[in-house]
Amino acid sequence: MITEPALAAWLSRYWGLAGVRVTEHNGGMGSETWFVDRDDQRWVAKAVTPDDGGQFAQGLALAQRLEQAGIPAGAPVPAAGGQLAVDVGDACLALLTWVPGRPLTGQDDAEQALIGATLARVHQALAGFEVAGAQRFHWVDPDAAYLSLRPWLRPAVIAALEVLDASRPETMTWGLLHADPAPDAFRLNAATGRCGIIDWSYALCGPLMYDLASAVMYVDGPDRATALIGAYLETGALAAAEVERSLAPMLRFRWAVQANYFAWRIATNDLTGIGGPEENEKGLEDARRALTG
């Protein structure tokens, strides 16, 4: 755990930011975060484990690219030595641009349309961009030991992988992904009308449908996501025929990813970003309901 005095000292040493006020935030499940304020300026400090530092730097490069394309994304502020993230011993630390606005909820058609249109803009802005060492789709191992955690778990994950394979993901449109576009990752600035997307933690190359299916999952499925899907399709980022044939299998796989993730967190007692183990259990139970009907 990074202390606030230590964080303030690193911000001064590596970014030349003296006299800042640091406030714990920790809004994510895979990192530690803090608000950093000085006068009327705000940033976000974000730290991951050293083992995740390489992937973290790749995600920061994507956020930087999106900012250059006019999409607020929490781009990194380079350190004095030019690094996007700095190794501070027990953590890899970055200072991110603050993205003003309110997080979306995805609970009405207007917000869903904004999510769909923004996600499509992201995919278009990242088209052709390359990040060395980017992770490749997909990463779910059906033989992982922690999938023995519940009797239903491994069979459900294997079944989802079989459905995904049958849909031939290699024939889908690929690109760099956000990988977890939950509604609260989208931030709407009411003063400017601009919508951004934060939480760029790593670079993943895979079917764009994975991001779209993720967004659909977070708003309770295709039947409730017509505005989101429609707004995405209007941009031309994907053809309607591809979405029609691949949304269902990709959505099932996305639930398998949830099951895999929360099973791993339970097995390793990972409580990062949550109030207690019951939140991991809820995540796994939600996935069970989606995968087993």
Side-chain angles (χ1 to χ4, degrees):
M1 177 70 69
I2 296 174
T3 65
E4 292 177 7
L7 176 59
W10 287 327
L11 293 171
S12 177
R13 176 180 177 183
Y14 294 110
W15 282 273
L17 282 178
V20 298
R21 184 174 70 258
V22 175
T23 307
E24 185 177 8
H25 173 235
N26 288 346
M29 299 184 79
S31 62
E32 294 181 79
T33 55
W34 300 261
F35 296 125
V36 178
D37 295 287
R38 187 175 69 179
D39 299 328
D40 61 348
Q41 290 184 287
R42 167 167 281 189
W43 301 267
V44 173
K46 185 171 185 176
V48 300
T49 65
D51 290 344
D52 293 331
Q55 292 184 350
F56 185 38
Q58 294 167 358
L60 297 176
L62 298 187
Q64 189 176 55
R65 170 74 171 189
L66 291 173
E67 291 274 2
Q68 293 168 351
I71 302 172
V77 178
Q83 313 99 304
L84 299 186
V86 175
D87 186 346
V88 294
D90 292 334
C92 187
L93 179 67
L95 182 67
L96 309 180
T97 305
W98 170 247
V99 178
R102 64 172 179 85
L104 300 185
T105 65
Q107 294 304 302
D108 60 54
D109 285 354
E111 286 200 359
Q112 283 197 24
L114 195 54
I115 289 171
T118 303
L119 184 61
R121 287 182 61 213
V122 164
H123 288 163
Q124 291 168 325
L126 293 177
F129 187 59
E130 296 183 2
V131 176
Q135 189 176 352
R136 299 279 294 180
F137 181 90
H138 66 82
W139 57 95
V140 177
D141 179 7
D143 297 321
Y146 53 80
L147 292 182
S148 297
L149 194 66
R150 302 285 189 276
W152 63 269
L153 187 51
R154 194 184 308 276
V157 169
I158 289 174
L161 292 176
E162 290 174 346
V163 170
L164 177 70
D165 288 343
S167 72
R168 300 180 64 202
E170 70 278 5
T171 67
M172 300 176 191
T173 304
W174 281 48
L176 288 164
L177 309 177
H178 181 278
D180 195 31
D184 60 4
F186 295 84
R187 297 185 65 87
L188 174 62
N189 187 335
T192 64
R194 299 176 73 200
C195 185
I197 179 169
I198 60 173
D199 291 340
W200 294 90
S201 297
Y202 58 97
L204 172 66
C205 183
L208 302 186
M209 271 305 308
Y210 181 78
D211 265 0
L212 183 56
S214 297
V216 168
M217 178 191 75
Y218 280 117
V219 297
D220 298 327
D223 291 344
R224 299 188 180 182
T226 54
L228 190 159
I229 297 169
Y232 185 94
L233 288 174
E234 283 181 8
T235 69
L238 283 177
E242 181 172 341
V243 173
E244 183 176 354
R245 76 174 177 85
S246 57
L247 177 57
M250 192 62 77
L251 182 59
R252 185 169 179 177
F253 172 73
R254 185 61 181 83
W255 276 114
V257 169
Q258 290 291 95
N260 180 77
Y261 176 63
F262 283 105
W264 172 80
R265 284 179 63 96
I266 292 169
T268 59
N269 195 34
D270 188 335
L271 303 179
T272 307
I274 60 175
E278 65 279 359
E279 295 185 44
N280 283 336
E281 292 289 351
K282 181 183 183 303
L284 186 60
E285 174 60 14
D286 288 343
R288 184 196 67 78
R289 291 176 179 172
L291 290 169
T292 64

